Amino acid sequence: MSFCRPNICAISTSRLDKWLFVRPLNAAIILVLISIIEITLIQSSPEVFTNSFLVRLKRDADKHIAHQIAKRNGFINLGAVLGSSNEFHFMHRALPHARSKRSLSHHRILKSDPSIQFATQQIGFRRTKRGYTKLRLGPEDLSLNNEPNDPYFQFQWYLKNVGQNGGKKRLDLNVEAAWAQGITGKNVTTAIMDDGVDYMHLDIRENYNARASYDFSSNDPYPYPRYTDDWFNSHGTRCAGEVAAKRDNGICGVGVAYDSKVAGIRMLDQPYMTDLIEANSMGHEPDLIDIYSASWGPTDDGKTVDGPRNATMRAIVRGVNEGRRGLGNIYVWASGDGGEDDDCNCDGYAASMWTISINSAINDGQNAHYDESCSSTLASTFSNGAKDPHTGVATTDLYGKCTKTHSGTSAAAPEAAGVFALALEANPNLTWRDVQHLSVLTSKRNSLYDSKRRFNWNMNGVGLEFNHLFGYGVLDAGAMVALAKLWKSVPPRFHCEAGSVNKVLPIPTNHSLYLDISTNACTGSDTEVNYNEHVQSVITLNSTRRGDVTLYLISPMGTRSMILSRRPNDDDRHDGFTKWPFMTTHTWGENPRGVWRLEVRFDSESPQMGFIKEWTLMLHGTKEQPYKDLPVSDRNSKLAIVKKAHEDRNKH
Ligand SMILES: *[C@@H]1O[C@H](CO)[C@@H](O)[C@H](O)[C@H]1NC(C)=O
Ligand SMILES: *[C@@H]1O[C@H](CO)[C@@H](O)[C@H](O)[C@H]1NC(C)=O
Ligand SMILES: *[C@@H]1O[C@H](CO)[C@@H](O)[C@H](O)[C@H]1NC(C)=O
Ligand SMILES: *[C@@H]1O[C@H](CO)[C@@H](O)[C@H](O)[C@H]1NC(C)=O
Ligand SMILES: *[C@@H]1O[C@H](CO)[C@@H](O)[C@H](O)[C@H]1NC(C)=O
Ligand SMILES: [Ca+2]
Ligand SMILES: [Ca+2]
Ligand SMILES: [Ca+2]
């Protein structure tokens, strides 16, 4: 099987990021399409089919023509997919939102239209918000009153930790140092992809970017949250306030980037998620929106392995390659609330190279009890979880209210989006990769630690400290803004397929299997990588118990990443992993040349069997030395340390 899908490679130069891998689910979808007549296969599948269809026309069409084509077949055209000129999102109102069978008759109608090349009914799946706790205290009963300006600022320990409620002094995002540089997020827009945003909230209204907003749950321009008695749909409004609540207006608290704009993208509030809703959301107005913040994902039950599907993957890749007028959109992702029994590398959104996935620490530096860990997490911010219940995340709430109890890694991702908004104001020329480099170089270990002492801080081959839970540490807005102002964009990115092991090998019952790939990192070719950014191990394996397989990747410079941890709830014995891209950020800046080692072993209470069938190593990074032209003011800074490591290497 070839790695490079022709449709992607054909349109890409080696510098653009490519969507290289077909996921198992897509393969399953193709199967279903091919065998659409074999009803048995369809009936036995547990899939859910929605009333949405992806329709590809034989030739390009404008909105009116697409409307006509939809109408003459009894459908409604909801609009183009990903700004495409020949792919449209059709809906049929007479079909239920969800049914267990594909509707052959509706397919037939669409397919027999001479203008239509191809039509496929959208599958429905579950995407859950992170950080909604049913036990949450009711909405805070604090409305406009005579208290001093931004009465909740004192509760926003994540902005300024003075040790309130048992917190650790100065363990915060260091935003005041960024604000003191005159940087508050001006002219930057963050989209909150969620259950809606209360854009009439007095603390949000002035910073609301209506032009960049949309409601994909109800297909209208007004992403206002749907009312329910339990305020279930308060999630997006809370996230929006963390980014851009107004300062000095006497209402609630202050956003990290309080002069930036927020857009609402309502997309979580319908019976089932579809690929087209996700794709349209993540590709919405990519030149008006700079940053997309997502605090949701596949169910955090510790047994799901799932990620972006076809159209969504295309939307993300388009966003990083073309969004923000070519600089690339920033996708910020909550790493997940599945706790120690889940692994965020099994979440294809969080583990993607194109998203910055963010974990959380609580107010004294421990990880939160719901935190997942994985080697693709880049950095951390803050959320709730301390014993003192007054240590949640204070922000805006529905219907003009404020809350002190926003929670989960959900609350952590928008804080990061706010910090990135500050960095983008400080330097609007930053690319999506510059933002990741800045995160690596300016995040701090501070006093973050694993409450269970499983994961220590380690140093990689160029002297960067990382932690399996927290990535490169807590974001430091002051340091990031200062460095952003001096920043020169990193050199072009290349993609090197370093090697592959394609043998069916049994995984031993009680000891490790080691596989080696020796690579010159494509030296001498036009995809040479000398300085790592992301590294992916694309792996196919099966096992009598998927959750008991663990994987470690050891780099030539000796850095060991746990790319898959034990997941006690994952009892899959059928699917395994098919070309799953396990990603690590821990070898950032390293020289990839040499021998990479994959360790595969069972961590199991009972004997298990399994086979590893494929391991392909993909290196992503630069050929040229990054940071070369940046001035170093502090010899102890991470920038100085990495620069020195690179220079020492080049002396030899
Ligand atoms: C994904 O979508 C593209 C464009 O519509 C199509 O060419 C390709 O075959 C699809 N891939 C899969 C695996 O469905
Ligand atoms: C604001 O951002 C837009 C792009 O989103 C850019 O075209 C414009 O020049 C910026 N305005 C200022 C004042 O920086
Ligand atoms: C951004 O890039 C443009 C064109 O390359 C340059 O003129 C401008 O000075 C840069 N701005 C910053 C803040 O670096
Ligand atoms: C593996 O298990 C077998 C039987 O249970 C035992 O004889 C053998 O010593 C074990 N090997 C190791 C390396 O622990
Ligand atoms: C795994 O794959 C091997 C080789 O293809 C096959 O023989 C075995 O039955 C499979 N095991 C499971 C648990 O699916
Ligand atoms: Ca609406
Ligand atoms: Ca305020
Ligand atoms: Ca998860």
Side-chain angles (χ1 to χ4, degrees):
M1 213 183 202
S2 151
F3 256 99
C4 226
R5 299 292 119 201
N7 60 317
I8 302 298
C9 294
I11 56 161
S12 303
T13 72
S14 61
R15 288 187 180 188
L16 290 181
D17 270 65
K18 294 168 217 168
W19 168 32
L20 294 157
F21 312 114
V22 171
R23 298 188 39 260
L25 262 155
N26 292 328
I29 292 166
I30 298 172
L31 253 184
V32 173
L33 277 175
I34 291 168
S35 52
I36 207 147
I37 317 296
E38 271 85 56
I39 307 291
T40 45
L41 196 157
I42 296 161
Q43 281 175 339
S44 65
S45 104
E47 279 173 333
V48 163
F49 294 94
T50 67
N51 59 357
S52 285
F53 289 72
L54 167 65
V55 174
R56 195 185 305 146
L57 303 180
K58 287 184 182 149
R59 50 180 74 140
D60 292 355
D62 64 15
K63 199 165 78 180
H64 302 289
I65 296 174
H67 279 333
Q68 276 171 18
I69 295 172
K71 197 167 167 205
R72 73 183 176 224
N73 292 297
F75 286 75
I76 298 163
N77 170 31
L78 296 180
V81 176
L82 301 176
S84 162
S85 48
N86 70 338
E87 288 187 8
F88 293 87
H89 186 181
F90 283 12
M91 190 178 83
H92 200 291
R93 287 213 197 272
L95 271 172
H97 274 293
R99 40 180 268 155
S100 59
K101 278 197 220 167
R102 202 172 274 282
S103 172
L104 295 182
S105 58
H106 290 87
H107 266 111
R108 220 172 279 134
I109 290 169
L110 289 172
K111 276 176 144 172
S112 60
D113 188 300
S115 305
I116 294 178
Q117 184 190 46
F118 162 91
T120 181
Q121 191 169 4
Q122 289 287 292
I123 289 167
F125 42 87
R126 299 279 182 198
R127 289 291 178 260
T128 49
K129 323 180 193 186
R130 292 181 166 152
Y132 176 80
T133 42
K134 295 209 174 59
L135 293 174
R136 102 192 146 83
L137 313 171
E140 302 295 321
D141 189 27
L142 189 135
S143 41
L144 307 187
N145 56 30
N146 299 326
E147 286 185 34
N149 267 353
D150 304 309
Y152 273 55
F153 184 62
Q154 59 180 306
F155 306 124
Q156 292 183 289
W157 57 267
Y158 58 99
L159 299 183
K160 183 170 187 168
N161 198 337
V162 293
Q164 60 270 59
N165 302 103
K168 179 132 176 84
K169 266 191 195 164
R170 284 196 286 277
L171 178 63
D172 56 38
L173 296 172
N174 195 25
V175 286
E176 282 187 330
W179 299 342
Q181 297 172 63
I183 299 296
T184 53
K186 291 178 284 294
N187 203 30
V188 179
T189 293
T190 300
I192 307 294
M193 298 190 289
D194 212 292
D195 55 16
V197 169
D198 178 358
Y199 46 79
M200 314 228 271
H201 196 295
L202 292 176
D203 215 13
I204 293 177
R205 200 163 67 174
E206 282 176 54
N207 284 341
Y208 179 64
N209 186 340
R211 206 152 70 91
S213 296
Y214 200 77
D215 185 339
F216 289 101
S217 291
S218 335
N219 297 297
D220 62 58
Y222 311 106
Y224 199 78
R226 178 176 56 92
Y227 178 82
T228 68
D229 282 343
D230 62 358
W231 288 31
F232 181 66
N233 294 318
S234 58
H235 198 256
T237 302
R238 294 170 169 206
C239 292
E242 291 180 83
V243 178
K246 201 79 197 148
R247 180 185 175 143
D248 285 343
N249 60 356
I251 305 165
C252 297
V254 177
V256 170
Y258 54 76
D259 286 328
S260 70
K261 299 262 182 271
V262 276
I265 293 186
R266 180 166 173 260
M267 45 84 75
L268 280 184
D269 193 20
Q270 66 280 330
Y272 284 94
M273 183 59 84
T274 65
D275 190 22
L276 289 187
I277 292 178
E278 283 184 1
N280 282 330
S281 300
M282 297 186 69
H284 186 61
E285 295 290 2
D287 288 336
L288 295 181
I289 293 167
D290 301 289
I291 302 165
Y292 297 78
S293 178
S295 295
W296 48 269
T299 314
D300 285 325
D301 54 8
K303 55 185 180 187
T304 300
V305 176
D306 199 357
R309 319 228 165 169
N310 193 340
T312 302
M313 201 58 122
R314 285 190 281 146
I316 302 174
V317 170
R318 201 177 72 136
V320 299
N321 285 330
E322 298 165 32
R324 279 181 66 233
R325 300 160 300 284
L327 296 170
N329 295 120
I330 318 297
Y331 294 100
V332 183
W333 223 270
S335 62
D337 286 350
E340 64 182 69
D341 288 349
D342 204 355
D343 183 301
C344 33
N345 259 0
C346 295
D347 169 343
Y349 301 83
S352 164
M353 311 185 281
W354 304 303
T355 62
I356 300 183
S357 79
I358 296 291
N359 206 356
S360 57
I362 67 174
N363 70 338
D364 64 359
Q366 297 180 53
N367 60 300
H369 61 87
Y370 47 76
D371 278 346
E372 296 180 25
S373 58
C374 64
S375 56
S376 53
T377 298
L378 197 67
S380 301
T381 58
F382 297 101
S383 193
N384 73 310
K387 286 209 183 68
D388 186 330
H390 300 294
T391 54
V393 171
T395 177
T396 48
D397 207 349
L398 287 177
Y399 316 123
K401 301 282 204 289
C402 318
T403 179
K404 286 186 241 168
T405 59
H406 190 30
S407 57
T409 53
S410 263
E415 290 168 25
V419 173
F420 300 148
L422 297 174
L424 292 186
E425 188 205 349
N427 183 347
N429 290 349
L430 298 177
T431 66
W432 68 277
R433 288 168 52 230
D434 291 331
V435 172
Q436 297 205 17
H437 280 269
L438 283 165
S439 300
V440 169
L441 292 179
T442 61
S443 292
K444 300 283 185 308
R445 171 174 175 169
N446 203 316
S447 44
L448 301 190
Y449 69 100
D450 174 11
S451 57
K452 297 203 168 156
R453 316 231 168 244
R454 296 153 303 170
F455 304 119
N456 299 320
W457 286 90
N458 291 311
M459 210 165 260
N460 80 4
V462 290
L464 290 168
E465 264 188 323
F466 67 92
N467 183 296
H468 187 69
L469 269 164
F470 304 112
Y472 287 94
V474 60
L475 293 177
D476 181 322
M480 191 180 286
V481 162
L483 190 53
K485 286 183 167 177
L486 308 171
W487 194 256
K488 309 255 186 323
S489 275
V490 287
R493 172 166 158 107
F494 295 100
H495 311 282
C496 167
E497 186 178 327
S500 197
V501 177
N502 284 290
K503 272 184 280 192
V504 178
L505 297 166
I507 305 170
T509 314
N510 59 356
H511 60 273
S512 295
L513 171 71
Y514 295 98
L515 305 178
D516 286 350
I517 289 176
S518 174
T519 180
N520 68 358
C522 301
T523 302
S525 80
D526 55 7
T527 60
E528 178 172 333
V529 174
N530 292 318
Y531 302 89
N532 280 344
E533 292 175 355
H534 314 88
V535 172
Q536 291 174 306
S537 285
V538 183
I539 287 175
T540 301
L541 63 77
N542 71 2
S543 158
T544 47
R545 200 165 194 289
R546 182 172 63 189
D548 289 354
V549 180
T550 62
L551 299 169
Y552 301 83
L553 181 69
I554 299 112
S555 76
M557 297 187 88
T559 302
R560 184 180 165 90
S561 309
M562 176 156 67
I563 58 175
L564 176 64
S565 59
R566 179 165 186 259
R567 298 203 306 162
N569 301 326
D570 182 359
D571 57 5
D572 165 81
R573 51 180 299 123
H574 184 69
D575 294 340
F577 292 97
T578 307
K579 289 187 183 293
W580 189 261
F582 293 92
M583 196 269 275
T584 179
T585 58
H586 296 168
T587 58
W588 201 274
E590 289 188 359
N591 178 354
R593 220 160 279 131
V595 177
W596 291 79
R597 169 164 279 201
L598 180 72
E599 179 180 353
V600 189
R601 72 168 187 233
F602 281 116
D603 180 355
S604 189
E605 273 145 24
S606 51
Q608 305 295 340
M609 295 225 314
F611 294 85
I612 178 147
K613 304 179 180 188
E614 175 186 353
W615 168 38
T616 298
L617 183 68
M618 294 293 307
L619 307 171
H620 309 268
T622 62
K623 178 175 177 179
E624 295 158 52
Q625 183 181 336
Y627 325 136
K628 239 178 20 201
D629 305 326
L630 289 178
V632 168
S633 51
D634 172 2
R635 281 173 48 218
N636 300 317
S637 67
K638 292 205 220 176
L639 172 62
I641 292 166
V642 178
K643 265 187 86 159
K644 176 137 194 331
H646 288 169
E647 281 158 14
D648 287 350
R649 163 185 161 188
N650 291 331
K651 274 186 208 144
H652 301 136

